[in-house]
Every structure is written in structure tokens, then in C-alpha cells.
Amino acid sequence: MGNLRSHAAGARPRGLRGGASWWGVAAIAAVVGAGAVGYKVLFDRPGELAIGFMPADAQAIITVDLSPSPAQAQTFKAIGDALKQEGLLDELEKEIAEAAAQNELVREIRPHIKNSFAVGVWGIEEGKEPKYAALLMAVGNPGAVSSSLEKHLRGYRLEGEQAYVIDKKSTAAVLGNYLIISPNEESMRRVIAVKAGKSPSAADLAAYQEARKALPDDANAMLFVSNSLLREAGKEAERELKGANPFRHNGWFAAGLAIRNDGLLCSVRAPFSADEVKEMQPLANLPVLSLDSLGLLPRGAYGLAALSQPAAIYDTLRNFALAKPESKREMEEGLAKFRSETGFDLEKDVVPAFRGEFTVALYPSQVPGNDDPDALFIADDANGADPATFIEKLRLAIDSGRFDKGGPKARFSSQPYGTTTIHLLDVSGDPNAKGKTPCYAILGKTVVASTSLTLLKQVVDSSGSDANALRSDPRFKRMVDRGLKAGRFTLMADLPTLMKDAAEKDRGPAWDWHKLFGDDGLTFSASYDGKTTTAELFVPLDWVELVHRIGAEAKKNRNAPGPSADMAF
């Protein structure tokens, strides 16, 4: 009891005098431990396993595991070799050593800290600091860490375990293979109870396990947010949606980062129930993208975006508008105004044209002297869509002069090309056109439109053949084959080409930062099934090139006269 009373009274522990706070230095030590040994080939995941120590009412959990999986081993070794070559690990070690020099305890335990840790937080209330938290750092020699704590801190028994006083509130303990630090004694009590099996663990919750499945097995950093915290975040939506809370019954949020040989994979799972928010139902029924458009698009694109059914966005907005009398009236007035000004019924003429897949791709400008990219648009007839009927009605309306407003009169001209007809919009009187030639053609029941006649002709020429199709382009083929989750929306970007072209225009060919992206492209894919949104983003990176660039900038700053400058990329 005496030890507990001295803890509550806040007796100053030995060994913590001077310099940065123990919490801050411990966090730095964890990071340095990770940076120094993270490239070693040893696949264990104590950061993730630490969730087994977190109480079931934990509301936010972060884990970091920098030991490589077998698939990551080669990349981690290459990164480690590059860090050594550039001397960056030595620099980091030197800076941390200077910080740790102020505290003998941190100096002693730092060599035993591994490259994995986890943080859990619970008791979160709006506008207040969380009541409870725990930092669990994996250690390689728990006995040595315990000895150092015993040497420098005041020890006492807490729920049958040895604990140590850090300051007036904070507590430390070594449980299993973890050094655990808590901002208050109650947090440590809860962790000890979970370890002893007296209190349920977050790792045993079905909701957590389902969220974990959405992330790669070897994710190097993960964030989990519990359903209770999501429900709290959804209260404002609940007020707006007459009691509907999209997060009420639908599990945990999860996000993860995984290092890959050629880049970084970011994964997200976000629960959002269309059963609670009925207006969202059209988006819950979106079909999976086929990406057949990649068989029509010619090679050489900067990138593309594709959505499986754009009309569902309108259907969703319409549902929300109909839910309230005032917004319903505004919508009806807007639809009536659209009919009177254009002669088209938005819901009968326009929306049905976009119930299929819609793809837009950007290409380098086909017009000499005009740097603005050219675009290709493809609207197909999937899901009963009828883009061809709409585009023909629009062409006839334009030719009739219905949209003439006193300026240059836009008119279409037509010319046969191959097995189809190309319709060109005459914009020669518009100075903003800058040589662009808006045009379209109908291939079967699919509409292909472009700002460039040259590009449109390439589509017609290659129709039915993969020889010049974008899906046979090596870089885009890798993006398609990457295996991201089946999406309803996707974005692909040829980053190396984009960066190279932009650099040559703005900075000249010597500015070669496009090499950072290796020989791959950025890929994003998102999906929604009425219960959860899942998304994956792959960012291509040449990790070794990145380390060498950082090393070069660091050397430049060290050698610069005067105060060190910030690294500029």
C-alpha cells in the first residue's frame, strides 16, 4: 500500500532528470530501433500481436511492424543497403544518441527495442483528451529492460504485475515481450487484466477480425477505429438524416500501408450502411467495372478514370433531394428549368445515357503549340444504357440552332471513316478552341468522343484489335494486372510519363525526378457494396532511388554555408 500511495502522490522517480520527457525519448527510441533494424530479414509481427493486449473497448489502435515478410525481404535489404551507403542511418543514430544522452534509462533500454509497436486509445469523449491509452513497444530482451526499469524507477505491484512510476500519473511495465507505457494507472490495469484473461481483448472481436481481413497480411502500418467511435462520429449525420446513423451496425474502420518491391500499397475499409441511409442504395448496386474501354483506347495515355454507372450518382442525389420537401421543390424547379432551356428531359433523355460504364482518358496534346492535354470519352451500353440515342439527339439539337445565343454558331459536319461516321463540331470561330477538334463516333452502341480527330481515328482504326490498345501497353497492363480489389471506380496514371513531360516543359530534361516512380503507374480502385467501402491505392516508388535522392539533399544541406536549409524536392 505504501508504494501505491507514493505513486498516487506523484513521488519523482529516479533517473528522469533533465532534457526531453521520458515519453518523447521513448517514442524516438522506438522509431530509431525500427529504422536501424527494419531491413533485417526476420518476419514477425509483434506490433499486430500487441492488439491481443488491448481491451475490447479500445476505440483506436495503431500498429507498426517493420520486419519484412518474405515477399518484402529483398526490398528491405535494398533500402537498408542504400541507407548505409548514404550514411543516413549513422546520421539518425547520432541525433537520437544526442537526445538519449540526457537520460541514462533510455540509453540502456534503446538497444533492446525492436522494430514493432502498437498504440491503443479508449475513453474518447468529444472535445476532451482520451481518458486511457497504452503504448506497447516490442523488446528483444525483456529481462534486461526490466532490470533497467528496476534500477532507475520506483517499482510497485499492480494487479499482480511489477509496475514502475514514471511521473505523477504515467506508469511503465514489462509484460511478455513488450515494454508498456500508460499515461495513467487505470490504463495499465486494463492492459494487465486483458493479458491475464480477466478482460476481453480487442483481437477477439469479430468486428476487428473482419476489418483486419480487408488489409494485406503483411501491412507494415495499420489503423483501426472501433464501431463505437464511428457511431459517435455519425451523430451529426444522424441528426441530418432523421435518426439514421450509417455507422450504427457495421463494424470497424481499417487502413493499412504495405511496402511492395515497386511501391507503396494503401488499403482502406470504411463501414457505411445503405440499410440505414436508404438514399445511398443506388451506389450499393453499382456493377463491377469490366474496363472493356481499355480495348478501345489507344496507347500513349497519361491516365484514365472509369466509373461503372455515373447515373447512380444522380439517382443518389435525387433520393436525398426527395427526402425533404424544400429540396424536393428545388429539384423539381431545376428539372423544369433544364427542360425549358435545353428541350431535354434530364431524367428521360440524359440520365439513361450514363447507366453504362463511362471512361475518360487524357493524352499528350495532338495539336502543335498547344500544351493542353487531349481527352477521349467512352460511354458504353452496359446495364441497358443508351448513349447513342442521346448523342444523336444532342447533335440534331445543336444543328437546329436551339442553343444559339448570339455568339458563334456551332454546327456539326460529318465524314465517313472506316465502317462508321465521324461527326465533328465546328469550333473554328471560338478562339478558346486553340486547334482542338471536338468530335464523336458511334461504334456499335458505344459512343466515343474526343477533343482530337487524330485520337478518334486511332480508336476507330484499332477497334477489335489489341495491337495498339491501351490494355496491351506494358505499363497499363501492369496497372490492370496488379490485382487491386474489384472496383466500381478506378483511376490509373502513368506517373513517370506525366512527370517527365511536365518537367521538360517547366524545368528542362535535367530535372529527372520522374525516376522516383520507376517503371510503373499509380492505380486507385474503390468499391461499395451497401455495407462497406473498400479502396486501394498503389503509389509506384523506386525505394533505392528515393533513399539516394534524400541522401543527396541531406549532403547538400550539410555542406551549405550557414544554417541548414530544409530539404527541397
Side-chain angles (χ1 to χ4, degrees):
M1 289 295 294
N3 282 339
L4 289 175
R5 280 195 295 271
S6 6
H7 183 204
R12 183 177 179 84
R14 303 183 299 274
L16 297 182
R17 295 180 176 83
S21 71
W22 200 94
W23 271 84
V25 178
I28 292 173
V31 173
V32 171
V37 301
Y39 58 87
K40 292 181 180 177
V41 183
L42 178 64
F43 184 45
D44 60 341
R45 301 185 61 77
E48 179 176 351
L49 291 176
I51 297 177
F53 286 68
M54 302 292 182
D57 57 346
Q59 293 173 288
I61 298 173
I62 295 173
T63 72
V64 173
D65 284 291
L66 292 181
S67 295
S69 69
Q72 296 171 331
Q74 182 178 353
T75 301
F76 272 62
K77 184 179 185 306
I79 292 172
D81 290 344
L83 287 169
K84 287 180 180 179
Q85 184 178 341
E86 295 294 337
L88 293 175
L89 283 182
D90 294 339
E91 285 292 317
L92 184 59
E93 190 71 37
K94 178 182 176 182
E95 291 180 13
I96 300 303
E98 290 175 357
Q102 304 174 60
N103 190 291
E104 186 179 349
L105 172 58
V106 174
R107 283 201 309 276
E108 290 182 12
I109 67 172
R110 193 169 67 82
H112 305 297
I113 293 174
K114 297 177 69 175
N115 51 349
S116 298
F117 61 90
V119 177
V121 179
W122 61 101
I124 299 174
E125 296 180 11
E126 186 176 356
K128 297 180 181 178
E129 290 291 323
K131 290 182 179 179
Y132 311 110
L135 167 66
L136 285 79
M137 294 184 285
V139 295
N141 189 334
V145 174
S146 294
S147 297
S148 293
L149 294 176
E150 189 73 37
K151 175 182 176 183
H152 294 282
L153 301 179
R154 189 184 308 279
Y156 70 104
R157 300 299 290 177
L158 178 65
E159 302 294 341
E161 298 284 354
Q162 187 69 14
Y164 301 91
V165 179
I166 296 176
D167 55 27
K168 289 183 179 181
K169 293 183 178 181
S170 304
T171 304
V174 176
L175 301 179
N177 293 319
Y178 297 95
L179 167 60
I180 302 175
I181 303 171
S182 295
N184 50 58
E185 190 177 86
E186 182 56 31
S187 298
M188 186 66 77
R189 286 181 186 274
R190 292 294 308 281
V191 174
I192 293 173
V194 173
K195 175 184 179 292
K198 297 177 181 179
S199 183
S201 164
D204 295 328
L205 296 175
Y208 157 72
Q209 293 169 4
E210 187 66 24
R212 178 62 184 90
K213 290 178 184 177
L215 305 182
D217 290 343
D218 58 353
N220 301 102
M222 297 185 289
L223 165 67
F224 298 97
V225 178
S226 76
N227 185 249
S228 65
L229 191 56
L230 293 175
R231 288 199 307 271
E232 190 68 28
K235 282 186 175 179
E236 183 174 346
E238 195 170 335
R239 290 189 290 269
E240 290 290 322
L241 300 173
K242 300 179 181 178
N245 188 327
F247 306 118
R248 183 174 290 150
H249 304 297
N250 219 21
W252 286 33
F253 170 91
L257 300 175
I259 292 175
R260 296 291 178 252
N261 291 339
D262 45 3
L264 184 67
L265 178 63
C266 315
S267 307
V268 171
R269 175 197 191 270
F272 197 98
S273 175
D275 291 334
E276 288 283 330
V277 186
K278 301 294 186 183
E279 292 83 358
M280 296 287 292
Q281 204 62 49
L283 293 180
N285 296 322
L286 283 176
V288 175
L289 279 166
S290 71
L291 291 179
D292 289 342
S293 57
L294 271 69
L296 288 175
L297 294 167
R299 291 189 181 199
Y302 282 140
L304 64 88
L307 179 63
S308 67
Q309 196 177 68
I313 297 175
Y314 173 81
D315 294 339
T316 301
L317 295 174
R318 182 179 185 277
N319 287 346
F320 277 110
L322 292 176
K324 296 181 179 179
E326 62 273 17
S327 57
K328 177 182 178 181
R329 184 175 59 254
E330 291 175 359
M331 183 193 73
E332 291 173 344
E333 290 173 354
L335 291 174
K337 184 177 181 181
F338 184 85
R339 282 194 299 270
S340 66
E341 292 185 354
T342 67
F344 286 90
D345 186 304
L346 183 66
E347 295 187 345
K348 293 181 180 179
D349 297 321
V350 182
V351 173
F354 296 98
R355 296 214 175 274
E357 288 190 17
F358 185 79
T359 305
V360 56
L362 294 181
Y363 288 80
S365 177
Q366 308 293 304
V367 180
N370 184 344
D371 291 337
D372 294 334
D374 274 301
L376 270 169
F377 306 88
I378 297 179
D380 71 15
D381 63 333
N383 315 311
D386 190 6
T389 296
F390 167 68
I391 196 72
E392 286 294 271
K393 284 183 178 180
L394 180 61
R395 177 174 63 86
L396 293 174
I398 291 173
D399 281 344
S400 72
R402 186 190 302 174
F403 303 123
D404 292 350
K405 300 295 181 182
K409 293 178 173 54
R411 295 292 184 267
F412 275 97
S413 62
S414 302
Q415 61 182 55
Y417 190 80
T419 58
T420 188
T421 299
I422 293 179
H423 305 279
L424 299 94
L425 185 64
D426 182 5
V427 291
S428 57
D430 185 354
N432 295 318
K434 297 179 181 178
K436 303 294 185 183
T437 53
C439 51
Y440 77 90
I442 299 174
L443 303 177
K445 294 183 178 180
T446 294
V447 173
V448 183
S450 181
T451 59
S452 165
L453 178 59
T454 301
L455 282 177
L456 186 59
K457 286 182 175 180
Q458 289 183 39
V459 173
V460 176
D461 290 341
S462 62
S463 180
S465 169
D466 270 358
N468 190 45
L470 195 59
R471 66 182 170 200
S472 66
D473 179 291
R475 195 166 284 164
F476 277 87
K477 190 174 187 305
R478 281 196 295 275
M479 286 189 252
V480 174
D481 294 343
R482 187 164 298 284
L484 299 187
K485 289 181 173 61
R488 275 68 169 178
F489 171 77
T490 193
L491 175 71
M492 301 179 189
D494 182 347
L495 283 186
T497 299
L498 270 169
M499 290 291 291
K500 185 176 181 180
D501 286 4
E504 289 180 350
K505 291 171 185 174
D506 295 340
R507 303 198 182 199
W511 198 83
D512 59 356
W513 283 88
H514 62 276
K515 292 181 179 178
L516 276 178
F517 303 110
D519 189 31
D520 215 327
L522 179 146
T523 312
F524 174 78
S525 178
S527 187
Y528 180 59
D529 63 3
K531 294 182 179 180
T532 55
T533 295
T534 53
E536 289 190 331
L537 171 67
F538 177 80
V539 181
L541 280 173
D542 184 323
W543 294 103
V544 173
E545 179 77 13
L546 176 62
V547 171
H548 288 318
R549 295 293 176 127
I550 293 173
E553 292 296 324
K555 290 174 184 175
K556 186 189 301 183
N557 285 352
R558 286 196 297 270
N559 296 331
S564 296
D566 292 335
M567 284 193 293
F569 293 96

